[in-house]
Amino acid sequence: MRYIKLRDLEVSRIGLGAMGMSHGYTGSGTDDAESIRTVQRALELGVTLIDTAEIYGPYTNEELLGRALKGRRDQVVLATKFGLVSHGGEGAWNLDSSPANIRAAVEGSLKRLGTDHIDLYYQHRVDPNTPIEETAGAVAELIAEGKVCALGLSEAGPDTIRRAHTVQPVTAVQSEYSLWTRGIEKQILPVLRELNIGLVPFSPLGRGFLTGTVRSTDQFDASDFRRGNPRFTGENFQRNLAIADEVQAVAAAVGATPAQVALAWLLAQGDDIAPIPGTKRVSRVEENTAADAITLTDEQLDKLSSLPSAAGDTHTEAQAQMLER
């Protein structure tokens, strides 16, 4: 496994997103033992960047990682997120990045994760009711106290990134980025590179679509959020299958899996990018981390880059209201 730096934070070239172990996808929360094995296998393979959030569950994903990382904490760059749980009474899925709420959130995350510090602490979504300067200042105080090592932002727009960065240097921005979700390339990515901020793409495999294994939404159980995702429904689903098939064709030529090719394309976009493909299975983490050894030709990269945009929005209307662009 190769390693890069997100600003000054050294991480594995490919990380691990833990959300699906507890939240959002078919089978989440049904096999914690396998999820723990997956985390520990990732560490064996050289993965250091592990990503979670208090909202996943809520709380159960952090608790799971706390168990998985017991005795192994020093092997991990541990990232979690605040801001989608209001601890003052409104509860989960309510934006709150006020300093008081951040204080409550960090203490809960530290306890659940079984650690005395968080390596990378992200604001999960921008809170329009709290100036970003106040949020960044609150995290700066936690950094001074040793409870947090670095500030991150998730799905923030260019102006918010700049304003936060003037208060506390931003180490990484997490945003959806993949072969079929490339909206950050025009406005976000240039700002990150200007300010020396790393990029951590989530859903780098298109929520599983780019793996080529999703051929029908009948595969999803009732708890799977993809059942209502625009890219997975109706005519959009059928149109997007053609994109997955194109990735499969390149993979066949390379002698790799579609997932590995999709990740290899992403890694080729820069040495300041560390994707966090999510999985709850040992076999998948082995497959995903092997993408670090794949080099695509210029012709293959061009072919993948020229694929059409995915049909349908990547978020539901309600989810999109929480994004800042």
Side-chain angles (χ1 to χ4, degrees):
M1 177 68 69
R2 290 176 294 164
Y3 297 84
I4 64 163
K5 283 193 173 182
L6 304 172
R7 198 167 186 86
D8 297 321
L9 192 64
E10 185 174 79
V11 299
S12 53
R13 195 75 168 95
I14 297 174
L16 174 63
M19 183 188 84
M21 296 175 180
S22 310
H23 173 89
Y25 288 93
T26 297
S28 295
T30 60
D31 193 347
D32 283 358
E34 175 67 4
S35 293
I36 289 172
R37 286 192 293 270
T38 299
V39 172
Q40 295 174 352
R41 180 61 176 143
L43 300 184
E44 293 171 356
L45 293 167
V47 172
T48 60
L49 180 60
I50 309 290
D51 183 271
T52 183
E54 64 173 357
I55 193 63
Y56 300 158
Y59 309 132
T60 54
N61 197 240
E62 287 185 329
E63 291 168 350
L64 175 69
L65 282 186
R67 298 196 302 273
L69 297 174
K70 190 173 183 178
R72 297 174 168 86
R73 177 64 181 90
D74 60 354
Q75 296 177 245
V76 178
V77 176
L78 189 54
T80 192
K81 311 178 198 73
F82 64 87
L84 276 179
V85 179
S86 175
H87 295 275
E90 295 181 341
W93 303 109
N94 286 283
L95 292 170
D96 189 346
S97 287
S98 64
N101 198 63
I102 294 171
R103 282 279 172 186
V106 75
E107 295 302 334
S109 290
L110 289 170
K111 182 177 180 179
R112 289 185 292 271
L113 292 165
T115 185
D116 62 357
H117 70 283
I118 295 163
D119 296 301
L120 181 55
Y121 202 33
Y122 291 100
Q123 180 192 43
H124 207 152
R125 292 291 185 272
V126 176
D127 176 8
N129 298 314
T130 304
I132 192 62
E133 291 83 359
E134 291 185 17
T135 298
V139 176
E141 291 179 3
L142 297 177
I143 291 172
E145 295 168 16
K147 293 181 178 180
V148 168
C149 297
L151 168 65
L153 301 175
S154 180
E155 295 285 35
D159 182 60
T160 295
I161 295 168
R162 290 186 183 280
R163 288 165 55 202
H165 194 70
T166 62
V167 176
Q168 169 63 41
V170 178
T171 291
V173 166
Q174 187 172 131
S175 192
E176 186 172 357
Y177 186 37
S178 70
L179 272 171
W180 76 346
T181 306
R182 300 177 60 183
I184 69 166
E185 290 180 339
K186 291 184 178 180
Q187 292 187 309
I188 304 296
L189 203 47
V191 171
L192 301 188
R193 288 177 168 157
E194 174 193 339
L195 300 177
N196 187 28
I197 298 171
L199 174 65
V200 178
F202 69 83
S203 296
L205 301 177
R207 299 187 169 94
F209 213 125
L210 297 176
T211 67
T213 60
V214 178
R215 309 304 295 186
S216 169
T217 54
D218 291 341
Q219 300 170 231
F220 305 150
D221 66 27
S223 69
D224 199 311
F225 77 98
R226 291 174 293 182
R227 293 183 71 93
N229 184 277
R231 292 188 175 180
F232 287 80
T233 56
E235 293 183 1
N236 290 343
F237 185 91
Q238 296 303 318
R239 290 172 59 187
N240 290 333
L241 283 176
I243 299 175
D245 291 343
E246 290 292 332
V247 178
Q248 172 67 67
V250 174
V254 174
T257 68
Q260 290 169 338
V261 164
L263 289 170
W265 176 87
L266 199 51
L267 296 178
Q269 305 312 302
D271 290 333
D272 51 357
I273 296 174
I276 48 169
T279 185
K280 55 184 180 292
R281 297 185 180 91
V282 169
S283 61
R284 291 299 185 197
V285 84
E286 292 173 341
E287 175 185 354
N288 293 341
T289 54
D292 184 51
I294 294 173
T295 301
L296 301 173
T297 67
D298 289 343
E299 182 179 0
Q300 290 163 342
L301 289 169
D302 289 343
K303 182 176 182 178
L304 292 167
S305 295
S306 64
L307 289 174
S309 301
D313 201 319
T314 186
H315 293 92
T316 64
E317 185 175 344
Q319 292 167 339
Q321 290 178 356
M322 288 191 177
L323 305 181
E324 187 177 69
R325 288 289 184 269

